[in-house]
Amino acid sequence: MANKNSTPEPEPEVAPKDWRARMRAQGKEAFQLEEMRRLGFWPPAEGVEAQIEVAEREVARIDRELAPLRVELAAVETEITRLGDVQSAIDDVRKNRIARVKRERGERRARQELEKARRIEAAKVRAKNELPFLGHRVSSGLAKTESDVQKLALLDLPLFHSALDVADAMGMSAPHLAFLTFHRGAATVDHYHRFQIPKRRGGMRNVSAPKTKLRAAQNFVLEQVLTKVPVHEAVAAFAPGTSTVQNAARHMGAQVVVRLDLKDFFPSIDFARVRNAFSSLGYSGAVSTVLSLLCTESPRVQMSLDGETRHVAIGERVLPQGACTSPALSNWICRRLDARLSGLAKRFGWTYSRYADDLIFSSSELTPDIKTLISCARSIIRDEKLVVNDEKTRIMRPNARQCVTGLVINAQDANAPRPARTDQRRFRAFLHAYETHGRDEMTQKMGRDALAHARGMISYLHMSQPGKASALIEKHPWLALESETAS
């Protein structure tokens, strides 16, 4: 309980209840002054005026500092008023962000679609102009399209960097070149005529003669590239200035002649070696691959599957017997073989030459070391991934007929190689039969054009014995005729 003797606290001053009426009647300033007197604030106490001045200055200073904040606050309040409330502002920000993300996503998708379309178009152009794939196990070098310009210039070879360059030089499209070179295990189209011809010493030889379009492409490779490639001096075939006569003449007067024969010569040279040969000339992987595919082919058999004929590969791609490029390529690929065998021959005092798959060694000594020569030669040949056909190895001494590439070199009555007398008699018998039975019957009997055979024989005879060749032409004038209607 409150103490009864304590002094009661004064009641707080409150504004009269009619202050609004009084202020309206007296005016605001008069009302304020009257209230200040009633409450004891006026007249001011001593020193109050100075405090008021200081306070006013402080208020003015604070007011100046608050002025920009008021402006900023007003802007915020205006923005809040415009947005309605905070949640609306957040919603607007979210909507703007979602709209921006969608726009950027759409732009990104548009760029991706454009890039995809560009890639597809580039792929179409590349597929049309380049050959990115030409079959399994043969296409590994097609991505390399940089040839060695200096190497090619030294050999005066045409500059090709890509498959398209090759196609352009041949005057064909890239798809056409792909058609000629694509390697398939089972193909519906065969670019070769395949047949067999009898060998001179028995057996049959498989021949793959290119068809027209492929033959034209191979002729281009031969004329523009392979004929410009140098060969080893021991080479006596398929090179300018070489012939069977020139080869045989190298060994005239020899006491001993050794002949080795390479077994399955062209089929022993596979696609990889051919491609390496073109690469060694300076051509890029793409060009080397395309040229090698033009110049090699797999042996194939014809089969029928679901009523459709297929030509099925039964081996790796090799040099075909019948392609015009095979002899020149074999000469270039065998250059190391020729160099090694030439070195071997010189070491033991022999003379060496090679006519395709016939390796000839001759010596002027009566008793040379034949066994060592043959043994070392076989080792070199084996090291070069070739095989000697032992059945055809011959050792010819002066007391028997020495025959080199079909020409006798130890004839006592001749100063130059000449065909064997048995061959000359056989040719005269053929001429008699041709004139007796006619071209058609002889062609059917021989399995090849009899007239072409006759003219080939007379040309062969003309190289070694032009006098005898002229006498036969005089006796059989049709041998010199160009007309194919001679009988």
Side-chain angles (χ1 to χ4, degrees), residues 273 333 336-337 340 379-386:
R273 296 184 72 178
I333 291 170
R336 191 172 73 166
L337 170 71
R340 296 178 68 182
S379 177
I380 292 173
I381 292 168
R382 184 169 55 252
D383 191 45
E384 294 296 326
K385 299 180 181 179
L386 296 169

Side-chain angles (χ1 to χ4, degrees), residues 35-191:
E35 285 297 305
M36 289 177 66
R37 286 183 181 137
R38 185 177 67 80
L39 297 173
F41 291 107
W42 191 263
E46 185 177 356
V48 171
E49 292 183 359
Q51 293 177 2
I52 291 173
E53 185 177 353
V54 172
E56 288 178 346
R57 287 198 299 270
E58 182 67 16
V59 169
R61 183 186 66 78
I62 294 173
D63 189 61
R64 287 193 300 273
E65 292 178 357
L66 290 176
L69 297 176
R70 290 192 188 98
V71 174
E72 185 176 349
L73 178 60
V76 172
E77 289 175 345
T78 302
E79 182 66 16
I80 291 175
T81 301
R82 187 183 67 83
L83 296 175
D85 53 31
V86 175
Q87 186 61 42
S88 297
I90 294 174
D91 291 342
D92 282 350
V93 171
R94 183 179 294 112
K95 289 178 181 178
N96 292 336
R97 184 176 61 194
I98 292 173
R100 187 188 71 251
V101 170
K102 287 183 177 180
R103 184 177 64 255
E104 293 176 351
R105 184 182 301 160
E107 292 173 353
R108 185 167 58 252
R109 285 179 178 174
R111 288 195 300 269
Q112 290 174 348
E113 290 296 326
L114 181 60
E115 183 62 27
K116 182 179 179 180
R118 288 175 179 172
R119 287 198 304 270
I120 292 173
E121 186 63 27
K124 289 180 179 178
V125 173
R126 189 165 57 252
K128 181 178 180 181
N129 295 332
E130 293 295 341
L131 306 178
F133 182 73
L134 290 174
H136 295 290
R137 295 182 296 180
V138 298
S139 301
S140 58
L142 290 172
K144 301 175 183 178
T145 57
E146 190 65 33
S147 295
D148 191 326
V149 178
Q150 293 183 346
K151 266 189 176 183
L152 296 175
L154 287 175
L155 295 173
D156 192 28
L157 296 175
L159 178 59
F160 304 137
H161 286 296
S162 66
L164 180 60
D165 294 339
V166 177
D168 288 342
M170 290 183 176
M172 66 176 67
S173 65
H176 186 190
L177 182 60
F179 170 70
L180 293 178
T181 57
F182 201 97
H183 174 72
R184 294 180 176 86
T188 56
V189 176
D190 193 356
H191 295 296

Side-chain angles (χ1 to χ4, degrees), residues 179 182-191 194 297 300-303 308-313 317:
F179 170 70
F182 201 97
H183 174 72
R184 294 180 176 86
T188 56
V189 176
D190 193 356
H191 295 296
R194 302 175 191 270
E297 173 60 340
R300 294 179 182 270
V301 294
Q302 185 172 306
M303 301 179 64
E308 187 177 31
T309 300
R310 297 295 182 100
H311 306 275
V312 181
R317 295 184 74 95

